Amino acid sequence: MTTPTKPTPPDPREKVRTFPTTPGVYLMKDGQGRVIYVGKAVNLRSRASSYFTEAAAIERRTAELVTQIRDIDFLEADSEVDALLMEARLIKDIQPTFNQELKDDKTFPYLEIFIREDFPRVEFTRTPQNRGTKLYGPFTNAKKLRGTIAVLQKIFRFRTCTLDIEDGDERWRWFRPCLLHSINQCTAPCNLRISKEDYRRDIARLRMFLDGKKARLLTDMRKEMEQASASLQFEKAVRLRDQLHLLESMNLRGDLEEHVQPEVFYIDPKKGVAGLKQIFKLEHPPRRIEGVDIAHLGGGETVASLVQFIDGMPFKSGYKRYKIRTVAGVDDFAAIHEVVARRLDRLRNEGESFPDILLIDGGKGQLSSAMAAMRALEIDPPFTISLAKREEEVYVPGEEEPRRLSRHSYGLRLLQYVRDEAHRFAQHYHHILRSKSTLGE
């Protein structure tokens, strides 16, 4: 009696052509059926096929892997976020040979939840704590992890700040929430606007999603929404409805990197904020900093940018662009005057607070123009300074000579980051408008 032979698996080069074009993870196997590599993809067919090209066969990072692939499978995901999380879970559980660098290299990023805090915060980290936190990862792509955190924060509205918030401490009732609360990306436990129980319930939902229990989470949330509606808790029901909608439409959100904050951060944001408080003898740490820069188009058209930093970190949702309306030709001073006037007048009219620091890109002349705009509005100005790029000198109202801060100052590094980000954003707007002009749009 002959022993039946195992069927020969199909050629993986041919197999990948049948893969769907949806997000998911792919699992590469050796001749014994062992998973040797796990990867994620926005488009499974396109990404998996890239391993069976001449370039992949000679590329240092993939050459050895390609020689050992005998089979390949896939698991579909609802979105790129789901695929990213699924990849991390599978790598952690299976520990494939060609993913071992994730286990051995401590520089790969994690998502970390500080579960022992009354109001647990969520962080991106490359140096996780040894205890007291829940870790997810490691992840293969830092930028996409940052994008994932940004997307999930819009749904579960958790905090990412480092404030030490204790439940029942009445001092927090007088604390000013950051703008994340204003745009519904945080429930503001720093101002006790959510109970400890409700906040931790949101974190529990986040953990269910991160653990791959999305279907069960959606079912539980629908039941909770119906119960809230039946008991006339309409505000709670509406919030659950909105969260459900965001979770169900996550696959429509596009490339994760569109949600990413700038990835490289050159300073310690907490030390930068503390440094500015000390340098300028401010009463409180400058939690919100806004930076203004001007850019010129060909033909004399002028544009401006305003960037916003919260707790020393760039906050992209607070970025704004301006077309200069009242200035003919190239006149930086007049353009600064207009932008500052428009920004502060709008904040005043809408009952919003002014920034803790308003940073102007330029020297003494630009600073004088900004201060003149505030006098014209007859407002009590926020603390306003300018930073001149050539010598990195800081101009302060009322001081004849500029301040020259230490090149190693955390405060100066933060100001430079704000200034450079404002310049980058202004130039980006400049290029957009120039492209539209070139194309006749």
Side-chain angles (χ1 to χ4, degrees):
M1 184 175 179
T2 59
T3 304
T5 58
K6 292 183 179 180
T8 303
D11 184 346
R13 292 171 177 77
E14 297 297 324
K15 194 173 182 180
V16 294
R17 295 179 183 178
T18 67
F19 279 19
T21 57
T22 52
V25 297
Y26 50 91
L27 301 92
M28 295 175 171
K29 302 177 182 180
D30 63 13
Q32 296 180 311
R34 296 174 301 193
V35 175
I36 57 174
Y37 184 76
V38 174
K40 66 180 178 307
V42 178
N43 181 322
L44 280 165
R45 184 188 303 168
S46 175
R47 180 67 181 129
S49 297
S50 70
Y51 286 87
F52 303 102
T53 62
E54 291 184 5
I58 60 175
E59 167 64 35
R60 180 182 60 83
R61 294 177 301 172
T62 56
E64 185 180 357
L65 167 65
V66 169
T67 64
Q68 298 189 37
I69 300 172
R70 296 295 179 269
D71 194 10
I72 183 169
D73 283 322
F74 68 87
L75 295 171
E76 284 191 88
D78 291 338
S79 69
E80 187 180 2
V81 172
D82 294 278
L84 186 80
L85 298 172
M86 187 187 297
E87 177 196 39
R89 288 193 298 269
L90 287 171
I91 291 173
K92 185 175 181 179
D93 292 342
I94 302 173
Q95 297 187 12
T97 302
F98 286 90
N99 293 111
Q100 281 302 301
E101 71 275 9
L102 284 171
K103 182 179 179 183
D104 301 333
D105 192 329
K106 304 304 181 185
T107 64
F108 279 87
Y110 293 81
L111 185 154
E112 187 169 26
I113 305 177
F114 288 72
I115 55 177
R116 291 187 179 178
E117 296 178 344
D118 287 352
F119 298 92
R121 70 183 185 273
V122 178
E123 285 190 359
F124 170 104
T125 183
R126 296 182 189 272
T127 55
Q129 303 292 313
N130 292 326
R131 60 180 64 183
T133 65
K134 175 66 176 177
L135 277 182
Y136 294 90
F139 292 87
T140 58
N141 188 307
K143 207 165 190 179
K144 289 189 182 295
L145 175 56
R146 291 186 189 277
T148 295
I149 292 173
V151 169
L152 294 177
Q153 191 174 27
K154 293 174 183 178
I155 301 171
F156 299 104
R157 301 173 66 188
F158 47 79
R159 72 185 185 101
T160 52
C161 65
T162 56
L163 297 172
D164 296 321
I165 308 170
E166 293 185 7
D167 186 38
D169 186 345
E170 290 299 312
R171 292 177 298 175
W172 290 107
R173 292 201 181 279
W174 310 106
F175 190 79
R176 186 182 69 189
C178 70
L179 288 185
L180 285 173
H181 174 68
S182 301
I183 61 170
N184 293 320
Q185 289 189 25
C186 180
T187 47
C190 62
N191 193 225
L192 304 184
R193 300 196 183 193
I194 185 172
S195 69
K196 175 182 175 180
E197 293 72 22
D198 285 344
Y199 183 90
R200 294 186 72 89
R201 191 173 294 115
D202 283 338
I203 293 295
R205 293 188 185 113
L206 170 65
R207 290 179 62 180
M208 283 185 67
F209 180 83
L210 294 172
D211 289 333
K213 301 173 182 176
K214 182 177 178 181
R216 178 181 153 194
L217 173 62
L218 293 173
T219 299
D220 291 349
M221 289 177 67
R222 289 191 190 96
K223 289 180 181 178
E224 192 175 348
M225 179 183 68
E226 293 167 0
Q227 291 169 356
S229 180
S231 59
L232 307 183
Q233 295 176 287
F234 297 121
E235 185 176 339
K236 180 179 179 180
V238 167
R239 186 178 167 212
L240 284 165
R241 179 202 65 192
D242 292 344
Q243 285 183 323
L244 280 165
H245 173 72
L246 289 169
L247 278 168
E248 291 169 336
S249 62
M250 192 179 292
N251 60 327
L252 303 177
R253 291 180 174 275
D255 190 338
L256 273 181
E257 295 189 11
E258 295 175 3
H259 301 270
V260 178
Q261 305 288 349
E263 181 183 0
V264 180
F265 197 73
Y266 299 102
I267 71 162
D268 183 318
K270 294 171 69 175
K271 291 181 178 178
V273 169
L276 292 175
K277 178 180 182 294
Q278 181 179 11
I279 291 167
F280 298 112
K281 296 180 171 56
L282 303 176
E283 185 177 352
H284 303 290
R287 298 191 60 222
R288 178 173 145 212
I289 303 173
E290 294 186 357
V292 175
D293 187 36
I294 303 296
H296 301 286
L297 300 173
E301 187 176 6
T302 304
V303 297
S305 70
L306 182 140
V307 299
Q308 196 170 87
F309 278 54
I310 297 175
D311 292 330
M313 295 289 287
F315 178 63
K316 278 194 168 181
S317 297
Y319 287 19
K320 298 186 181 301
R321 295 169 172 145
Y322 297 87
K323 276 189 177 181
I324 301 303
R325 303 168 179 166
T326 62
V327 181
V330 177
D331 188 340
D332 276 9
F333 299 153
I336 288 289
H337 188 288
E338 178 184 326
V339 172
V340 170
R342 285 168 62 182
R343 174 61 173 166
L344 296 183
D345 190 45
R346 179 174 181 177
L347 290 175
R348 178 177 64 179
N349 292 337
E350 294 180 353
E352 295 288 341
S353 60
F354 291 163
D356 299 305
I357 294 179
L358 180 61
L359 177 67
I360 308 298
D361 180 20
K364 194 170 186 177
Q366 283 84 355
L367 177 62
S368 297
S369 296
M371 300 308 295
M374 298 181 218
R375 287 194 297 272
L377 291 175
E378 298 182 343
I379 62 172
D380 184 15
F383 181 68
T384 305
I385 55 178
S386 65
L387 179 61
K389 190 164 191 176
R390 179 174 296 177
E391 299 296 332
E392 303 292 31
E393 296 173 330
V394 180
Y395 289 85
V396 181
E399 298 183 8
E400 285 297 322
E401 296 297 322
R403 297 193 189 186
R404 293 177 175 84
L405 307 181
S406 166
R407 296 280 177 169
H408 304 292
S409 163
Y410 286 110
L412 176 61
R413 291 181 191 177
L414 179 54
L415 293 179
Q416 290 169 328
Y417 190 16
V418 175
R419 187 268 317 278
D420 294 345
E421 182 67 1
H423 180 72
R424 182 199 65 78
F425 195 54
Q427 291 300 316
H428 180 60
Y429 188 33
H430 167 279
H431 293 315
I432 290 174
L433 294 181
R434 186 173 63 184
S435 298
K436 288 184 176 181
S437 176
T438 302
L439 295 171
E441 295 182 17

